[in-house]
Amino acid sequence: MAKQEEVILLDFWASMYGMKVRIALAEKGVSYMYKEEDLRNKSLLLLEMNPVHNKIPVVIHNGKPICDSSIIVEYIDEVWKDNSPLLPSDAYGKARARFMSDFIDKKVFLIGRNMCMTKGEEQEAARKEFIDCLKLIDGELGDKCYFEGESFGYLDLSLIPFYSRFHAYKMYGGFNIEHEFPKLFCWAKRCFENNESVSKYLPDPLKIHGFVQQMRKNLGLDE
């Protein structure tokens, strides 16, 4: 783009929604200023830029805020359209990708969190529901390299942040995705190994494990 761009990202390092935005910006080669938020003591800037939900991530582009990770990713794809298109080009492909991304954001993430943040019968119920969700996603992938075919795209971007939690799912949910869903596991490894935007901007799974461990202690689930 011709004019000087100012892009600021308000985020929290362990946010899976934030990871999606970071990877999208990297895919497009967009330079930005990163501002880490303390979610227990949110900045005045965050409260001003997202007065409706007071949540991260928020991208501030030339002084204008864009909120909600999926909306942000679509905005990034439209504004920086010359590099690495993320959404499919056809209307049906776009609709399908948006539908599945919404399913991942609003259901799969919450079930995965419940699997790690509960015990006993509640945890087992979450584990079974998580498996059912991944069966649907596994079917969507089929035998393709990526969800959009041969190139990394919007739906891959929506799901790949879960890779950083595979270890936590195994340790606290008793769920080994490599054994349960080998095709999805291979897809995740492919995304990580073939896309610098993924390998550079996804947190270390062991660091995420430590974060989940601390959250469990805060909730009184572990000593």
Side-chain angles (χ1 to χ4, degrees):
M1 301 179 69
K3 65 179 182 178
Q4 181 68 31
E5 302 289 339
E6 180 187 65
V7 181
I8 300 170
L9 173 61
L10 310 181
D11 200 3
F12 174 63
W13 74 271
S15 167
M16 294 173 73
Y17 299 111
M19 292 174 205
K20 183 163 65 170
V21 173
R22 278 171 256 158
I23 294 169
L25 288 167
E27 280 287 304
K28 295 290 186 173
V30 179
S31 298
Y32 61 94
M33 179 186 298
Y34 180 88
K35 293 191 175 184
E36 177 80 1
E37 285 287 333
D38 179 352
L39 300 186
R40 293 171 296 183
N41 185 26
K42 297 175 183 178
S43 71
L44 292 176
L45 181 60
L46 174 59
L47 300 179
E48 178 186 352
M49 292 293 104
N50 189 357
V52 176
H53 297 298
N54 302 152
K55 292 181 178 180
I56 50 90
V58 176
V59 163
I60 308 169
H61 182 209
N62 292 333
K64 298 178 179 178
I66 306 97
C67 307
D68 184 281
S69 62
S70 293
I71 293 172
I72 293 171
V73 170
E74 291 193 37
Y75 179 88
I76 290 168
D77 198 34
E78 184 175 346
V79 172
W80 291 278
K81 60 180 66 176
D82 294 336
N83 295 332
S84 305
L86 299 173
L87 278 161
S89 58
D90 64 295
Y92 179 76
K94 283 187 176 75
R96 186 68 183 173
R98 286 170 176 145
F99 176 82
M100 291 301 296
S101 178
D102 188 69
F103 170 67
I104 290 166
D105 283 352
K106 294 180 179 176
K107 186 167 184 178
V108 182
F109 168 76
L110 294 176
I111 296 167
R113 185 175 66 180
N114 288 343
M115 189 171 64
C116 289
M117 292 294 148
T118 55
K119 285 184 174 182
E121 293 182 2
E122 189 177 356
Q123 184 183 58
E124 183 57 27
R127 184 180 185 279
K128 289 178 180 178
E129 194 172 6
F130 195 67
I131 289 173
D132 289 340
C133 288
L134 290 189
K135 284 179 181 177
L136 292 173
I137 294 170
D138 193 58
E140 187 73 17
L141 177 64
D143 295 322
K144 302 188 293 290
C145 290
Y146 299 99
F147 283 95
E148 313 300 346
E150 295 300 318
S151 59
F152 184 81
Y154 184 79
L155 194 49
D156 303 289
L157 191 65
S158 298
L159 190 63
I160 196 57
F162 285 80
Y163 181 75
S164 66
R165 299 208 172 205
F166 282 2
H167 185 69
Y169 292 150
K170 182 178 179 180
M171 297 301 295
Y172 295 114
F175 180 81
N176 190 327
I177 194 168
E178 184 175 5
H179 294 161
E180 298 275 0
F181 291 94
K183 202 161 50 174
L184 278 178
F185 184 80
C186 288
W187 160 84
K189 294 284 285 185
R190 186 180 303 117
C191 290
F192 189 85
E193 292 169 358
N194 295 348
N195 297 275
E196 186 180 359
S197 61
V198 175
S199 59
K200 185 175 180 179
Y201 288 97
L202 275 190
D204 188 309
L206 293 179
K207 188 177 180 182
I208 291 291
H209 170 258
F211 173 73
V212 173
Q213 184 180 46
Q214 186 59 53
M215 288 180 66
R216 285 178 61 88
K217 287 181 180 179
N218 294 344
L219 292 171
L221 294 170
D222 296 327
E223 295 296 328

